[in-house]
Amino acid sequence: MITDSAVDSATITAWLTEAAGAIRAERDYLTQLDAAIGDGDHGTNMDRGFEAVGKALAAQGEATPPGKLLILAGKTLVSTVGGASGPLWGSALRRAGRALGDRPAFGVADLADAFDAANDAVADLGAAAAGDKTMLDAVLPAAEALRAASETGMELPAAIASAATAAEAGAKATIPMQARRGRASYLGERSIGHQDPGATSAVVILRALERAVGAAG
Ligand code: ADP
Ligand code: MG
C-alpha cells in the first residue's frame, strides 16, 4: 500500500524533471567550477544529460515502476554525456534502480539501500573514496544521513532534507581537499581551494529530490 511517506513513479519523474531544471539554472556555475580545476564542461555535460532524461521519462507511462525509470534515466545519461559524470551518474541510477526492483513505491529504508547501491556503483567505476574530492564527498554523507534517518524512523521529507544538507556540507568540505581522482587530480596541489563541480551538482540533484518529495507530501 502506498502511504504518505513513499516514493513512487510520479515522485521519480517529478524529481528528475525538477533536477533537469535546476541543473539548467546552475549550468554556468557548474561549468565555472569545472573551468577552475577541470576542463570547463561539467555544467553542459549534466545539462545535456538531464535534458535527455527529462524527455525519456516524459515518454513513459505511469505504470512504469520507479526502479525501471531510474534504469532508463541511467542509460540515458550514459548515452548522452561524454564526460566522466555521464557514466558515473548513469551507473549510480542504474544500480539504484536495480536495487529497487519492481516495487511500485518505497520508503526511507529502501531509499537508503538504493543510495548505498548507487554509491557503490560510483566507487566501483571511478575507484574513488571519501576525501578524494569527487561527487562521492557529497553523496556518501547523504547516504549516511539517510541511513541514520531510517534507523530513527524519520519521515521521508525530513530524511531527504537531512541527506541534502549533509551533501551540501560534504560539497563545501571538498574546497580544502586535494583531488586524487578525475581530471582535477592532474592539478595536484593546485586543485586545493576550489569546490568540486561533481559534488556541487550532486547537491543540486538532491535538493531537487527534496523539493519533489516535499511537493508530493
Ligand atoms: P570530465 O572530468 O570528464 O570533464 P565532468 O566535468 O562532467 O567530466 O565531471 C567532473 C566531475 O566528475 C568531478 O568534479 C568529480 O566530482 C567527478 N569525478 C571525476 N572522476 C571521478 C571518479 N573517478 N570517481 C568519482 N567521481 C569522479
Ligand atoms: Mg569536465
Side-chain angles (χ1 to χ4, degrees):
M1 184 181 141
I2 299 174
T3 66
D4 284 347
S5 190
V7 175
D8 59 11
S9 295
T11 323
I12 296 292
T13 301
W15 166 37
L16 293 172
T17 307
E18 179 76 28
I23 292 277
R24 169 68 49 89
E26 299 295 335
R27 179 182 58 191
D28 294 350
Y29 171 56
L30 295 170
T31 285
Q32 274 169 32
L33 291 177
D34 195 36
I37 57 169
D39 57 353
D41 64 358
H42 188 61
T44 45
N45 283 343
M46 294 295 281
D47 182 40
R48 185 183 320 113
F50 274 81
E51 184 182 11
V53 165
K55 286 188 180 142
L57 292 193
Q60 287 297 303
E62 278 180 17
T64 313
K68 286 266 162 18
L69 293 178
L70 290 174
I71 291 170
L72 173 64
K75 284 185 179 157
T76 305
L77 288 178
V78 171
S79 62
T80 53
V81 179
S85 50
L88 290 165
W89 270 103
S91 328
L93 295 184
R94 281 188 317 201
R95 195 84 73 88
R98 283 213 299 273
L100 292 166
D102 280 337
R103 69 196 68 175
F106 55 91
V108 180
D110 288 328
L111 189 62
D113 289 344
F115 263 65
D116 285 345
N119 293 349
D120 286 348
V122 173
D124 287 350
L125 186 64
D132 285 349
K133 196 181 181 100
T134 71
M135 60 182 284
L136 280 176
D137 290 307
V139 292
L140 288 172
E144 272 173 36
L146 214 46
R147 182 67 61 198
S150 159
E151 281 162 6
T152 57
M154 213 183 263
E155 289 292 314
L156 195 63
I160 291 172
S162 83
T165 299
E168 200 164 298
K172 288 214 176 79
T174 63
I175 296 173
M177 291 176 186
Q178 178 172 334
R180 287 194 290 252
R181 293 287 169 198
R183 236 175 247 286
S185 67
Y186 307 158
L187 290 182
E189 287 183 3
R190 282 185 293 136
S191 63
I192 294 172
H194 303 276
Q195 187 163 317
D196 179 63
T200 309
S201 59
V203 175
V204 172
I205 291 165
L206 291 183
R207 288 289 180 207
L209 177 60
E210 183 185 354
R211 288 194 296 279
V213 169

